[in-house]
């Protein structure tokens, strides 16, 4: 996988357009003067967490005694479930955050930006080829940067695309993620079968 492909995959998993309505609903109840500061803080928290998992991914696998095939299969399953929710969204918003309460790490940084699927994908990237950490870092920062720009200007994108436009884009991204998740799952199964056969 090259840098561009990795960046596109990570961007799709972050799903900034799908998160726009949720971010908007959270920020709507916060003092307008504090919104930008809160959003920047949460985005930086998310980046720090994702970088941690990217660079500590190999150590996490070794500590838990997990094989890369396990991460690939598990990541594919998690990604598939998230993609299905994107295609067939459930009613209801963010739970566990009272109106007017300022978010801190949860739910904006985790799990909306740095969710289980993106963390699993980062661990898998690091484990697949640990000699290309610079490439994976560039891909991650690029995907995060583009996602951050979209979320920073959430009012503009919401106004341009409209509610139906956002729904259509999210479902399209969900379809792409379904294919990526199935490929991750099949790669994990294939690699496991090959290792057993040897």
């Amino acid at each position: 996988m090259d840098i561009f492909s990795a960046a596109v995959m990570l961007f799709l998993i972050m799903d900034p357009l799908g998160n726009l309505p949720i971010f908007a609903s959270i920020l709507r109840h916060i003092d307008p003067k504090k919104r930008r500061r809160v959003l920047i803080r949460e985005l930086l928290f998310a980046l720090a967490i994702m970088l941690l998992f990217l660079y500590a991914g190999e150590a996490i696998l070794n500590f838990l005694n997990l094989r890369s095939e396990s991460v690939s299969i598990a990541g594919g399953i998690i990604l598939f479930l998230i993609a299905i929710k994107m295609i067939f969204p459930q009613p209801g918003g963010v739970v566990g955050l009272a109106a007017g309460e300022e978010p801190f790490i949860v739910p904006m940084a985790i799990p909306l930006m740095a969710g289980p699927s993106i963390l699993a994908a980062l661990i898998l990237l690091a484990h697949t080829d640990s000699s290309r950490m610079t490439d994976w870092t560039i891909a991650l920062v690029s995907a995060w940067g583009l996602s951050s720009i979209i979320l920073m200007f959430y009012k503009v994108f919401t106004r341009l695309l409209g509610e139906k436009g956002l729904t259509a884009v999210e479902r399209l991204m969900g379809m792409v993620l379904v294919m990526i998740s199935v490929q991750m799952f099949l790669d994990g199964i294939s690699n496991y079968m090959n290792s057993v056969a040897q």
Side-chain angles (χ1 to χ4, degrees), residues 153-173:
F153 296 98
Y154 68 95
K155 289 183 180 178
V156 177
F157 282 94
T158 304
R159 191 163 53 247
L160 283 175
L161 294 172
E163 190 175 337
K164 290 185 177 178
L166 286 173
T167 302
V169 170
E170 182 177 12
R171 290 181 180 175
L172 180 61
M173 286 184 167

Side-chain angles (χ1 to χ4, degrees), residues 65-80:
N65 198 26
L66 294 173
R67 298 168 58 134
S68 60
E69 294 86 352
S70 312
V71 179
S72 181
I73 293 169
I77 293 170
I78 292 170
L79 197 55
F80 181 81

Side-chain angles (χ1 to χ4, degrees), residues 17-84:
L17 291 172
N19 285 330
L20 271 178
I22 304 174
F23 272 63
S25 67
I26 294 171
L27 294 171
R28 189 180 300 123
H29 301 289
I30 297 175
D31 182 358
K33 295 178 181 178
K34 296 171 65 177
R35 286 176 189 168
R36 183 62 59 92
R37 178 176 60 80
V38 168
L39 186 53
I40 291 172
R41 183 191 68 204
E42 296 304 304
L43 290 171
L44 289 174
F45 273 139
L47 178 61
I49 292 161
M50 289 186 286
L51 285 171
L52 175 66
F53 270 78
L54 178 64
Y55 281 89
E58 192 71 26
I60 292 169
L61 286 179
N62 292 334
F63 177 75
L64 297 175
N65 198 26
L66 294 173
R67 298 168 58 134
S68 60
E69 294 86 352
S70 312
V71 179
S72 181
I73 293 169
I77 293 170
I78 292 170
L79 197 55
F80 181 81
L81 293 174
I82 289 175
I84 291 298

Side-chain angles (χ1 to χ4, degrees), residues 61 66-80 120-121 123-125 127-128 180-192:
L61 286 179
L66 294 173
R67 298 168 58 134
S68 60
E69 294 86 352
S70 312
V71 179
S72 181
I73 293 169
I77 293 170
I78 292 170
L79 197 55
F80 181 81
I123 291 175
L124 187 62
L125 281 176
H127 188 78
T128 302
I180 293 174
S181 67
V182 170
Q183 188 63 54
M184 283 177 67
F185 182 83
L186 291 177
D187 287 345
I189 295 290
S190 176
N191 291 337
Y192 178 75

